[in-house]
Amino acid sequence: MRSWLENYLVPLLTVAAFVLIWQVAARRYPPEQFPAPSDVVLAIKELSDNGVLWTNIGISLARFAAAYLMAVVAGIPLGLFLGRFTRCHRAIDPLIQVLRPISPIAWFPLAVLWFGIGNAPAVFIIFLASFYPVLLTTISSVRGVPPVYLKVSTNFGAGAFLTFVRVIVPAAFPGIMVGLHIAVGTGWIHLVAGEMLGAQSGLGFMIVDARNFLRTDQVMAGMLLVGLLGLAIYKAMKTFEKAIGRRWGVAA
Amino acid sequence: MSETPVSKIQLRNVEKRFRSARGDQQIALSRLDLDIKAGEFVCLVGPSGCGKTTLINLMAGFEKPTSGSVLIDGEPVTAPNPDHIMIFQDYGLYPWRTVLGNVLFGLQARGVPAAQAREKALAALEMVGLSQSIDKHPHELSGGMKQRASIARALAVEPSVLFMDEPFAALDAFTRLHLQDELLRIWTETKPTVVFVTHDLDEAIALGQRVVLMAPQPGRIQKILEVKLPHPRERTEQEFATFRKRLFTEFHLVHQQAAAVEYQI
């Protein structure tokens, strides 16, 4: 009873209170400047009815999935390699450390120049935003594999390949999962930025487009949907993680 | 060949130096000789800093001596060997594998066919009394059960030498006593050579046929005590107490020396 209260009822009340305060506050301003939640709900309905919303959500999710998968496919193997081969890591680490603090958005002018307007610049920016967390956590997970695991493996005469596949990769896996998780967050955040700057479709574009027509209610509708979808992806990721964790024998 | 063919493990003039963080040389082990016979159970005891862990790591091939020679079966030790298995205080079990999976690891590393590996793993688990827990993951086991699993993993590959680096130090007193008895039973049944590092003098006397007392600064052998008591030993008997007293007296001496060195500087 108590857990139900804490898990669902209290958060629900918080949200309700937030919406209420928003509604009351919005009355003091013209709707073009600060739309009320009711306006936003109507805007979502309008966008949903004319199909714009679903098309854009589909496009955004597809771009996000493509960019995220590319980041994972590139980041994990590279991270495993650099984590395992300390010398290569030492050689390449300064380069990573210089490139990493550059906001993916700063790449935008070049991205448009190289890839033109369309899917590619947005995908590129989401890719950059997801790639570094995946890469860096993979490297540190491999380097953080407890030495005793490797000692045991060497002691039993396991070769380099067996040690890598059967010891290092599984031992690093929980850490890599953390990176995948962080990358979902950073990637999704940059989705809007990427689509605002270089795309003609998607949720980010929808927000910019609404702004151009001074449809503040639709701007907020877009923002809200970005948040809700982010939450949904996060939850899906958590569920996936728990299932994997159980299989991996680590307490979930 | 070696001059004493009965020696399973032979250390001659073994020295190990480390460079400390400040850059000065530290002698972890100084010119040490030791012979261990095949099938013998030897305990290494001593205060911290006496080099007992360094010594076992040298024998197991995880470290190399700065000078001198470490031979097992007359061959110089250059790397860890699947015939000489080390058992660690923190078990070194793989959390993503079940108990059975962990025991199978050593056999898989050796390329033992699956059916045969399973048979050997189950036999080893039976020997340590873990037959009921083969499908559990390490996080579901108590410390004592984890150490049983890691002993089973070692036994499965039938090593001729077991190196044990304070294997029971993290366990509660009751579990520790119980596992000591279990280890002796297993040793009597399979007769590997056992080198057992501990800082617990009672544990050393309960287990070892010989107890090697080490002293620090520099790490060296202070005294080798032969414990001529049959296994299993009754810890409350008079003779046990006699050996215990002798070892404690020697240990006290080591402490006084160490303290004297420390205060002179």
Side-chain angles (χ1 to χ4, degrees), chain A residues 16 20 22 37 42 45 63 70 73 79 81 97 110 123 125 127 133 143 162 164 173 182 188 190 218 220 222 241 245:
Chain A
L20 194 73
W22 176 7
L42 287 175
K45 193 178 176 323
R63 279 182 191 143
M70 281 196 277
V73 167
F81 174 80
Q97 296 305 337
L110 286 177
V123 169
I125 283 166
F127 169 82
R143 289 163 68 93
L162 189 73
F164 186 74
F173 192 80
I182 297 170
W188 187 251
H190 286 84
Q218 288 189 0
M220 279 203 170
E241 233 170 279

Side-chain angles (χ1 to χ4, degrees), chain A residues 148-159 162-163 166-168 170-172 246-251, chain B residues 57 62 80-82 84-86 88 90 92-97 105-106 108-110 137 139 153-154 157:
Chain A
V148 70
Y149 290 178
L150 302 176
K151 278 186 163 185
V152 166
S153 174
T154 320
N155 198 172
F156 281 100
L162 189 73
T163 301
R166 295 289 184 85
V167 180
I168 292 170
R246 228 171 288 130
R247 218 182 113 57
W248 231 248
V250 288
Chain B
N57 276 321
F62 288 114
N81 185 324
H84 318 140
I85 297 294
M86 176 82 106
F88 299 92
D90 48 2
L93 295 171
Y94 297 142
W96 59 91
R97 284 181 167 233
F105 180 82
Q108 287 165 346
R110 283 190 151 183
H137 279 92
H139 73 94
R153 178 171 61 183
V157 299

Side-chain angles (χ1 to χ4, degrees), chain B residues 19-250:
Chain B
R19 200 169 284 282
S20 76
R22 277 178 295 169
D24 40 51
Q25 285 246 334
Q26 285 186 331
I27 303 172
L29 287 174
S30 159
R31 303 204 158 270
L32 185 146
D33 295 311
L34 183 65
D35 284 278
I36 296 171
K37 290 192 287 289
E40 198 180 6
F41 199 127
V42 173
C43 291
L44 307 177
V45 281
S48 57
C50 71
K52 55 191 192 293
T53 294
T54 306
L55 184 57
I56 202 172
N57 276 321
L58 286 173
M59 289 192 266
F62 288 114
E63 285 176 37
K64 289 191 174 69
T66 312
S67 63
S69 67
V70 180
L71 305 179
I72 298 185
D73 295 322
E75 300 281 326
V77 172
T78 51
N81 185 324
D83 189 40
H84 318 140
I85 297 294
M86 176 82 106
I87 288 173
F88 299 92
Q89 185 186 329
D90 48 2
Y91 325 116
L93 295 171
Y94 297 142
W96 59 91
R97 284 181 167 233
T98 61
V99 168
L100 179 62
N102 269 285
V103 177
L104 282 171
F105 180 82
L107 297 156
Q108 287 165 346
R110 283 190 151 183
V112 177
Q116 200 188 337
R118 193 181 158 83
E119 204 173 291
K120 283 183 183 230
L122 289 174
L125 284 162
E126 167 107 54
M127 185 169 277
V128 301
L130 273 186
S131 295
Q132 305 300 313
S133 311
I134 58 168
D135 291 325
K136 286 191 173 155
H137 279 92
H139 73 94
E140 298 172 281
L141 304 179
S142 67
M145 287 166 92
K146 283 181 196 167
Q147 199 52 287
R148 283 168 192 269
S150 99
I151 292 171
R153 178 171 61 183
L155 293 175
V157 299
E158 293 160 23
S160 70
V161 185
L162 275 181
F163 292 114
M164 307 184 82
D165 188 6
E166 306 205 24
F168 306 148
L171 307 177
D172 64 85
F174 182 80
T175 310
R176 193 183 317 147
L177 287 179
H178 189 55
L179 274 181
Q180 286 169 7
D181 292 342
E182 291 276 286
L183 176 62
L184 284 173
R185 178 181 58 76
I186 289 164
W187 172 67
T188 319
E189 282 174 35
T190 57
K191 275 289 176 182
T193 309
V194 179
V195 180
F196 189 106
V197 166
T198 177
H199 58 249
D200 179 344
L201 300 183
D202 285 319
E203 184 168 68
I205 298 174
L207 296 175
Q209 292 174 303
R210 280 194 297 158
V211 176
V212 177
L213 179 64
M214 296 182 67
Q217 294 165 334
R220 64 191 186 278
I221 293 173
Q222 170 84 11
K223 174 99 183 167
I224 298 179
L225 190 72
E226 285 209 37
V227 185
K228 287 180 182 144
L229 293 174
H231 286 107
R233 289 169 183 160
E234 196 51 62
R235 292 180 180 83
T236 50
E237 257 179 23
Q238 184 58 43
E239 283 166 298
F240 191 90
T242 313
F243 281 108
R244 190 169 183 271
K245 193 171 176 192
R246 276 172 60 191
L247 189 59
F248 271 85
T249 311
E250 285 290 342

